[in-house]
Amino acid sequence: MLLQDQKDEIKELISFKQEGGYWDFKREWYTEGKLSDLLHDIICMANNLENRDAYIIIGIDEENDYCVNDLFNAANRKNTQMLIDFLRDKKFAGGIRPKVLVETLQTMKGVIDIIIIKNGYYTPYYLEEKYRDVNANNIYVRTFDTNTPKNRSAEISHIEYLWKKRFHLLSSPLEQAFYYLMKKEDWLDVPDDSSVVRQYYKYHPEYIIEHFECDDRNGYEYYLFSQMDSRPHWYNVYVRYHQTTLFSTIGVALDGGRYFTNVPCTDFLFRGVMYSDHVSFKYFVKRSKEMILHEFFSDNESEEARFAREMFEECILIFFTEDEKNSFKTYAISKWENRDKYLEEIRIPFMELPDTYRPEAFKEEYENALILKMLLDEYRMN
């Protein structure tokens, strides 16, 4: 489903009445005889030089002042699965294919379809086996409003750019640090007698991650009660490049220190006038910096650590994308008036708290988390 800002962007691109470095217009869907054009266009867009998602906007008639050509009853239309199946049959180098999806947009003058080619780091995308007139080993790119011709390969400077992108050589130190953090096996411990736990990336030791106990934090969060030992142990976490701090967050030792991770992000379904009226939730998003750290800290060798992580994730939402999170929030808000019907299906752990805390507040947060987990399962089934 297109989000509102994506709809606005598509409409804006149409209003330009010209093609560009990451968008192209087609009057109608590709026929069977033009499937090589479809493949060629997707590859070019996946190898765009703008380093972003690209669009093939179908249903726009360039020769008729870029007006809408309604696709409602059009032939040859494809959905996301059909397009994925089409690409799966093609012999891409390394078996790595562009990620695509098809969305539909209802305009005042009719229906148009948009093929969204997701931005990725596995550039350049190219075939290792010829498909019709799309050549093997030719690297096609999108530059300005033009695709590389099928019988040629892109300029060497553009090819170099795409390879640099694959190896994150165009990335900032922050982006590179988290790219390296996805290679957990390549990080080594720094021998240190202090209380700081420090590791460095062995191929670029100027990249360091460290954590140490946080002396000024001792409060509770509801997810601590997912553990057998719910006492709080908080830490400061820093990702550094040389002496520069690139990223910082809070870490938490769960179940008496058997499992360590970074804290999840926080978002709200509702913000009430009073803080007690807020409905918030804790979450991670796949491939985000926070999720990369969460995976980095995971101890897959310890059975106790694996169990602690499972219990922690039982009351944390994990989204595939930021878009899914935003769309799910809308769904959850629409269902929230039926919150109480889910209470019979959930169980809240015993919560032992100091006298200065209100157990009912943590109980409600825990309930909300488990209800939202159930709603997320419902949302994904719809």
Side-chain angles (χ1 to χ4, degrees), residues 227 254-255 259 303-312:
Q227 309 297 313
L254 297 168
D255 201 20
Y259 175 64
E303 185 175 344
E304 290 180 333
R306 286 198 303 272
F307 179 74
R309 174 180 175 169
E310 288 173 4
M311 298 307 297
F312 172 64

Side-chain angles (χ1 to χ4, degrees), residues 330-343:
T330 301
Y331 176 82
I333 289 170
S334 72
K335 298 288 186 179
W336 200 248
E337 64 181 15
N338 299 320
R339 174 190 184 276
D340 291 350
K341 82 173 188 178
Y342 296 94
L343 291 176

Side-chain angles (χ1 to χ4, degrees), residues 163-382:
W163 282 111
K164 287 178 180 178
K165 180 180 176 181
R166 172 174 286 208
F167 294 112
H168 292 253
L169 299 179
L170 302 173
S171 303
S172 67
L174 175 62
E175 292 170 320
Q176 290 196 46
F178 279 86
Y179 173 62
Y180 298 147
L181 284 166
M182 290 189 286
K183 304 171 183 290
K184 180 176 179 178
E185 68 279 4
D186 292 331
W187 288 77
L188 303 177
D189 293 331
V190 177
D192 200 331
D193 294 334
S194 71
S195 58
V196 179
V197 177
R198 184 178 289 115
Q199 294 172 282
Y200 67 93
Y201 183 59
K202 67 181 180 181
Y203 299 113
H204 293 283
E206 62 271 24
Y207 288 94
I208 292 171
I209 184 169
E210 63 183 25
H211 63 269
F212 50 88
E213 198 157 2
C214 181
D215 296 329
D216 58 352
R217 184 182 177 103
N218 59 8
Y220 282 78
E221 293 284 356
Y222 77 86
Y223 51 77
L224 295 175
F225 300 103
S226 65
Q227 309 297 313
M228 296 293 292
D229 185 341
S230 60
R231 291 173 296 176
H233 302 280
W234 303 107
Y235 290 76
N236 293 314
V237 179
Y238 293 98
V239 179
R240 304 188 196 273
Y241 174 65
H242 292 292
Q243 301 303 313
T244 301
T245 299
L246 301 175
F247 185 85
S248 64
T249 187
I250 301 298
V252 57
L254 297 168
D255 201 20
R258 293 176 179 84
Y259 175 64
F260 181 86
T261 190
N262 52 301
V263 299
C265 304
T266 303
D267 201 349
F268 293 84
L269 279 191
F270 304 101
R271 289 180 182 269
V273 177
M274 303 293 291
Y275 183 80
S276 58
D277 297 326
H278 292 352
V279 175
S280 64
F281 60 91
K282 306 293 184 181
Y283 72 94
F284 290 118
V285 176
K286 294 282 189 180
R287 294 178 292 279
S288 67
K289 294 179 179 63
E290 292 79 10
M291 190 67 186
I292 290 171
L293 281 180
H294 181 53
E295 296 288 353
F296 179 84
F297 287 128
S298 294
D299 183 356
N300 296 320
E301 296 182 1
S302 165
E303 185 175 344
E304 290 180 333
R306 286 198 303 272
F307 179 74
R309 174 180 175 169
E310 288 173 4
M311 298 307 297
F312 172 64
E313 291 183 352
E314 281 294 318
C315 57
I316 300 293
L317 298 172
I318 298 179
F319 297 101
F320 294 117
T321 65
E322 191 72 25
D323 287 347
E324 183 190 48
K325 176 178 76 75
N326 293 330
S327 181
F328 168 72
K329 283 176 60 178
T330 301
Y331 176 82
I333 289 170
S334 72
K335 298 288 186 179
W336 200 248
E337 64 181 15
N338 299 320
R339 174 190 184 276
D340 291 350
K341 82 173 188 178
Y342 296 94
L343 291 176
E344 295 179 2
E345 302 181 45
I346 64 177
R347 297 291 180 269
I348 304 300
F350 173 73
M351 297 182 179
E352 184 175 356
L353 284 156
D355 293 338
T356 54
Y357 287 87
R358 294 172 51 242
E360 61 272 16
F362 290 93
K363 177 176 179 291
E364 183 176 1
E365 281 191 296
Y366 210 114
E367 286 176 349
N368 289 344
L370 297 184
I371 291 169
L372 287 168
K373 291 278 283 190
M374 296 171 68
L375 285 172
L376 183 56
D377 288 340
E378 285 183 13
Y379 168 80
R380 287 173 174 163
M381 292 176 63
N382 290 339

